[in-house]
Amino acid sequence: MISPHERIIFALDVSQRASALEWVERLSGHVGLFKVGLELFVSEGPSLVEEISSRGERVFLDLKFHDIPNTVAGAVRAAASCGPFIMNLHALAGSEAMRRAAEAAKEGAERAGVEPAKLIAVTVLTSHTADTLSELGIQGSPAGAVHRLANLAKDSGIDGVVASPMEAAMVREVWPSGLIVTPGVRPAGSSLDDQSRVATPSGAADSGADYIVVGRPIRNAEDPVAAADAIAEELREASR
Ligand code: C5P
């Protein structure tokens, strides 16, 4: 069983290496993973991921690959070699892309002599509504699409999915052993920022999330370390 601190993924939503590394140093031991997303990765590249990993920290590499299977597999193989603990791709890339990516993650890690990353899929971006999905020719509710894509991910040999707090319980039913990573988490009383569908840390844990992604509630707190510790405490209470 992982400890409550280890279940917190801090979103490194900054664009510069120095700032990212300051946050890593500050929150080391208080959160379990650091999420490197597109902005930071495009700015600073794989060497930053290697640097964070070399400090003994775990990285969630949030690059959401979506391309033809061969290209996705190549990107996953290359990304795997910088040693992330978790990385992701879009389920909409399809079952073959997910199957090939699962193999590529293992190959890339083996070549680099690192542990293979856990590979998870984004089902439907939470920015979508039934209307914007319909524009893309995907009919029905976002929840229906999430359900179908979570099933497809489960049958494609990857490890789990990213799921909003509103979807986590449904995904947990579809995929009891899948890894679920949940963003949109807000401790009670904290600002929603631009998130609309949110859950508290304990609410997300109760819905079946293994890991929760938290950015601004920690980054903008007066005392970020205390904010992370309070979230861990809430997760500890929830698991009792
Ligand atoms: O600051 P905040 O806690 O809202 O940050 C959440 C992080 O999770 C951001 O990096 C955001 O891009 C990411 N994310 C999200 N909702 C999703 C997928 C990713 O908030 N559905």
Side-chain angles (χ1 to χ4, degrees):
M1 183 70 182
I2 53 177
S3 78
H5 278 115
E6 285 172 337
R7 297 174 70 184
I8 304 173
I9 303 177
F10 177 67
L12 282 173
D13 288 330
V14 296
S15 60
Q16 288 183 350
R17 182 184 193 89
S19 170
L21 291 175
E22 261 170 42
W23 278 110
V24 170
E25 199 172 319
R26 197 168 189 188
L27 292 174
S28 175
H30 299 274
V31 302
L33 286 94
F34 293 91
K35 182 169 87 71
V36 175
L38 281 168
E39 181 184 359
L40 185 57
F41 191 80
V42 169
S43 306
E44 299 292 353
S47 70
L48 176 67
V49 178
E50 286 162 2
E51 166 80 37
I52 298 172
S53 302
S54 75
R55 296 178 176 208
E57 303 294 343
R58 290 174 168 177
V59 173
F60 169 20
L61 191 53
D62 181 22
L63 301 181
K64 302 188 181 71
F65 296 130
H66 187 176
D67 209 312
I68 58 172
N70 194 52
T71 303
V72 168
V76 166
R77 197 176 294 111
S81 66
C82 54
F85 186 77
I86 302 176
M87 65 181 163
N88 61 4
L89 78 171
H90 272 282
L92 282 167
S95 57
E96 192 192 337
M98 288 191 274
R99 268 195 301 279
R100 300 251 329 250
E103 289 162 14
K106 292 193 185 81
E107 287 163 16
E110 205 170 299
R111 274 190 214 166
V114 296
E115 282 294 302
K118 294 179 193 310
L119 191 60
I120 61 176
V122 175
T123 54
V124 177
L125 291 170
T126 45
S127 47
H128 276 304
T129 62
D131 286 343
T132 64
L133 286 180
S134 160
E135 284 173 356
L136 302 174
I138 300 172
Q139 304 305 336
S141 68
V146 169
H147 190 269
R148 281 196 305 280
L149 291 166
N151 259 309
L152 191 67
K154 179 180 74 163
D155 295 339
S156 302
I158 65 167
D159 299 296
V161 295
V162 182
S164 82
M166 306 305 129
E167 298 155 359
M170 182 245 287
V171 172
R172 181 53 76 214
E173 255 180 54
V174 171
W175 194 350
S177 64
L179 181 69
I180 301 182
V181 174
T182 301
V185 175
R186 288 291 178 274
S190 70
S191 160
L192 292 185
D193 305 303
D194 57 355
Q195 299 280 11
S196 50
R197 297 185 295 156
V198 300
T200 58
S202 54
D206 289 343
S207 312
D210 296 295
Y211 292 91
I212 58 171
V213 179
V214 187
R216 285 162 292 184
I218 294 177
R219 201 167 65 245
N220 295 342
E222 224 163 89
D223 182 343
V225 166
D229 289 347
I231 292 170
E233 189 49 38
E234 190 178 329
L235 291 174
R236 190 187 322 277
E237 294 289 328
S239 62
R240 280 207 180 128

